[in-house]
Structure formats: C-alpha cells, structure tokens
C-alpha cells in the first residue's frame, strides 16, 4: 500500500461479522479529579481521531462496497469517511453519571449504530466504521466516551489496541502540537485469518445455533408473562470473580466457561420460578467462542474467527445442576469447536446469507 494510491481495497468477504451488521459498543468514564480545564478537549479528540484513521487505520476511513458476491472496504486518498462525533453536556453530578455508566445506559451515552445494511444494489453505502459520543458535565467532574465500532474491522483485542494508539497520539498532539511523523505503539492490521484450509468435506456438522426460525412459531410457555419479571441484571463483584476463577482452575475449565454456567443457571432458575410448567422443555444454551488459539491465529490480526457453541438441555436440568457441573457442560460444548467445525460454521453462515439475499 503506497501513500499516494488513489484507492486501496481491504477484503472482508471471509469475515461473517459484516453479514448482519455486527456493531459493538463500549462506555468509558474518565474522572476529572483535579478539575482541570480543557479536560478531554473536543477539538483535540476529533483531530487526533481523524489523523489516526486516515494515516494508520485507513479502512476505518473507508467505505463498504459489495460487488460480485464479495465485500471490500475501500479507502480513497482524496476523500474520507471520518468517524462522526456527537457531543452533549449534562447537568448532573459525577455519582449520577457513574450510575448511568454502571447501568449501561446506551441510549444516553452511546452513539446508535446505523440501521443501513450492506447490499449488492448499493455500490457505495455511507456506513460509519466507528462512531463517537462525548458526554461532558456542566460541573466538569468527568467525561464519558461512548464508542461504537463495526466488528468486521476489529474485535475486542484489536479495539483496545486502537484505543491505546488513539490515546498515545492524542497525548502527543497535546504536548507537542503539530507532528510530521508519529510511531503508534501498536502496529495496526486488517488481515482476517483465512480458515478455509480447515474445511473437511468428509465431515458434516449440524449448526442449530445458526438456524433461522420464525419467533411466532415458538411456544410462549417458555416466556414469562408480561405481568412478571422479565429482566434481571447479573452483577458479579471483583471478589466473586476471583472465587469463580479459582473454581474454574479447580475443575479444569476456563473463566469464560464458568461465567456461561453462572448465566445459564441464573436464567433458568428465574424462568422456572416464573413458569414451573416449562421444566421439561428443551432449550438451546449458547456461548461465543474466540478461536484464536484453537485455529492457530496470531494476535496480530484485526479480528479472530468467532463461532457459537451450543448445548441442548431441559430447563429443569440446568436449574438443578451446580455451577461447576454446568461449567463442565459448557466445556464440552466449546470442545467441539475444532478448526473443521469453525470452517463449517462459516460456510454455513455464508450459505445462509446468500439464501436470504436470494429470497
């Protein structure tokens, strides 16, 4: 890629994150403990962000383009899809703002992801790759950054490297002003790993976690009535996390797997309490698997191949088991996610998406 290239293409066709417009969001709160003036200066934030994406993260300043059954992100040297930045100033104190952050009030603090879809009819959809919402307080006690980004360009690991690079560039601009060159601490990359070599046509897998269904065909017995509790926030303290990590080590499972167990048991206990008649009903319990290690994928890629593992059990079975026993079930479900299974999952998703487009 040369600096003066009028057009640069980055293929994301083998990354299923683009299929269903997968956007992810983070809420980051920064306390202005010294009541410093110009804390998170808006113009500096916008300037450093634009420099970062134009110079180092070119796909983030590009556009999606769908053609010939393939998806590219196209970067043009003479125009830029700079990340949109919105701001607001709220009349509330730090504790109130922190409660909104703790409660993940995305409506208040996070830029909404666009509803536009990438289609083959529209050759140049103007869909932002990253969006930023900056929330200031009139009291100047804190600033909140709400960031929404398209998952086809970065996964969680790559996102935090992006944020570290942005922070370093912003600090450098604040201390030194204009710069000709700046070495960011984490070299960016937009390679999505090719996992086609895992495909084994002699092995077939079912993928119930990806089967499209009509929600109107589901039995309403699996759902609590509108007059009952339909939402419960699962909070895990630092002390509980430490205890769960030790439990996971004791029984030979990962922290992710024991967290799945806590969630599966909590949800099913609540469902069974609200509607005892559904105990014999089967449910599909799922967890998302980051397959970097399993697929031998380096950390120096923009996104890792992710798949969903599932386990079918009855509501009563999961509700009755201990967390450690459920964690073992999650461990077995994740254990089937070999490279062959991963490749099969992606082929299934692409075929499913093509069928949706044909329909």
């Amino acid at each position: 890629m040369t600096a003066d290239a009028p057009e640069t293409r980055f293929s994301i066709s083998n990354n299923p994150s683009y299929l269903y417009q997968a956007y992810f969001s983070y809420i980051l709160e920064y306390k202005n403990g010294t009541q410093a003036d110009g804390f998170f200066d808006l113009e500096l934030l916008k300037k450093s962000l634009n420099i970062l994406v134009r110079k180092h993260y070119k796909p983030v300043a590009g556009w999606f383009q769908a053609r010939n059954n393939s998806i590219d992100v196209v970067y043009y040297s003479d125009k830029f899809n700079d990340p949109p930045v919105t701001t607001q100033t709220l009349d509330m104190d730090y504790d109130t703002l922190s409660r909104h952050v703790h409660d993940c009030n995305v409506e208040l603090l996070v830029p909404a992801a666009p509803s536009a879809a990438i289609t083959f009819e529209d050759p140049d959809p103007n869909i932002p790759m990253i969006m930023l919402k900056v929330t200031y307080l009139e009291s100047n006690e804190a600033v909140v950054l709400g960031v929404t980004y398209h998952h086809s360009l970065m996964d969680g690991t790559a996102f935090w490297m992006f944020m570290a690079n942005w922070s370093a560039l912003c600090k450098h601009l604040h201390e030194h002003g204009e710069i000709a060159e700046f070495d960011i601490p984490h070299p960016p990359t937009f390679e999505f790993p090719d996992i086609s070599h895992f495909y084994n046509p002699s092995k077939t897998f079912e993928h119930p976690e990806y089967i499209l269904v009509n929600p109107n065909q589901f039995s309403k017995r699996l759902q609590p009535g509108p007059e009952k509790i339909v939402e419960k926030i699962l909070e895990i303290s630092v002390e509980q996390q430490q205890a769960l990590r030790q439990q996971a080590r004791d029984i030979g499972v990962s922290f992710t797997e024991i967290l799945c167990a806590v969630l599966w048991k909590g949800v099913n206990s609540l469902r069974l309490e609200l509607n005892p008649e559904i105990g014999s009903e089967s449910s599909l319990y799922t967890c998302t698997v980051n397959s970097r290690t399993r697929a031998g994928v380096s950390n120096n890629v923009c996104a890792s191949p992710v798949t969903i593992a599932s386990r079918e059990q009855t509501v009563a079975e999961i509700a009755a088991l201990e967390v450690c026993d459920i964690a073992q079930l999650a461990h077995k479900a994740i254990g089937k996610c070999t490279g062959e299974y991963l490749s099969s999952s992606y082929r299934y998703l692409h075929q499913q998406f093509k069928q949706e487009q044909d329909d």
Side-chain angles (χ1 to χ4, degrees), residues 336-355:
K336 73 180 181 181
C337 296
T338 62
E340 291 175 336
Y341 185 87
L342 186 66
S343 179
S344 175
S345 294
Y346 276 36
R347 289 175 67 88
Y348 183 92
L349 282 173
H350 280 285
Q351 291 168 0
Q352 185 183 78
F353 182 71
K354 187 177 185 305
Q355 185 62 52

Side-chain angles (χ1 to χ4, degrees), residues 6-72:
E7 175 183 297
T8 308
R9 290 184 173 272
F10 305 85
S11 175
I12 60 169
S13 294
N14 66 335
N15 185 342
S17 295
Y18 82 84
L19 297 179
Y20 303 103
Q21 285 293 64
Y23 280 91
F24 281 66
S25 298
Y26 286 95
I27 302 175
L28 311 173
E29 183 180 32
Y30 301 89
K31 186 175 183 180
N32 186 5
T34 62
Q35 292 285 294
D37 293 331
F39 188 65
F40 277 73
D41 178 75
L42 179 60
E43 291 307 311
L44 181 61
L45 286 175
K46 292 165 65 175
K47 180 177 181 179
S48 57
L49 180 60
N50 288 346
I51 291 175
L52 183 67
V53 298
R54 291 185 186 188
K55 190 174 183 62
H56 300 284
Y57 284 84
K58 292 187 175 182
V60 177
W63 281 263
F64 290 111
Q65 190 171 97
R67 64 181 186 179
N68 300 326
N69 293 323
S70 66
I71 301 288
D72 293 335

Side-chain angles (χ1 to χ4, degrees), residues 245-274:
R245 289 184 187 277
Q246 185 59 54
Q247 277 186 293
R249 287 191 290 268
D250 291 343
I251 62 175
V253 302
S254 69
F255 182 56
T256 298
E257 289 161 346
I258 206 162
L259 278 182
C260 282
V262 172
L263 179 62
W264 291 1
K265 183 174 178 62
V267 168
N268 277 273
S269 299
L270 183 62
R271 293 168 72 196
L272 197 59
E273 177 186 341
L274 295 174

Side-chain angles (χ1 to χ4, degrees), residues 145-295:
L145 298 184
V147 186
T148 298
Y149 69 95
H150 201 284
H151 201 269
S152 65
L153 297 182
M154 288 183 278
D155 65 5
T157 300
F159 170 77
W160 288 113
M161 289 192 289
F162 174 90
M163 293 298 291
N165 286 335
W166 182 19
S167 175
L169 178 56
C170 194
K171 179 181 179 181
H172 194 90
L173 284 174
H174 173 70
E175 294 176 347
H176 304 285
E178 296 294 335
I179 54 173
E181 294 293 335
F182 176 74
D183 294 327
I184 55 177
H186 302 283
T189 178
F190 298 96
E191 174 191 4
F192 187 81
D194 181 10
I195 58 173
S196 60
H197 60 283
F198 287 122
Y199 179 61
N200 185 348
S202 67
K203 289 190 177 182
T204 58
F205 301 92
E206 293 183 357
H207 297 287
E209 58 273 11
Y210 292 123
I211 293 176
L212 296 177
V213 295
N214 183 345
N216 295 324
Q217 296 175 350
F218 272 108
S219 170
K220 296 298 182 183
R221 292 189 300 136
L222 287 172
Q223 303 176 17
E227 75 284 356
K228 299 179 180 178
I229 299 172
V230 296
E231 179 179 275
K232 182 178 180 180
I233 297 176
L234 179 65
E235 296 183 7
I236 303 177
S237 68
V238 174
E239 293 75 16
Q240 288 173 314
Q241 288 183 44
Q242 292 171 342
L244 286 172
R245 289 184 187 277
Q246 185 59 54
Q247 277 186 293
R249 287 191 290 268
D250 291 343
I251 62 175
V253 302
S254 69
F255 182 56
T256 298
E257 289 161 346
I258 206 162
L259 278 182
C260 282
V262 172
L263 179 62
W264 291 1
K265 183 174 178 62
V267 168
N268 277 273
S269 299
L270 183 62
R271 293 168 72 196
L272 197 59
E273 177 186 341
L274 295 174
N275 192 350
E277 296 179 359
I278 67 173
S280 60
E281 298 276 1
S282 291
S283 278
L284 197 66
Y285 304 96
T286 62
C287 52
T288 302
V289 183
N290 183 325
S291 302
R292 282 185 190 269
T293 303
R294 195 176 300 271

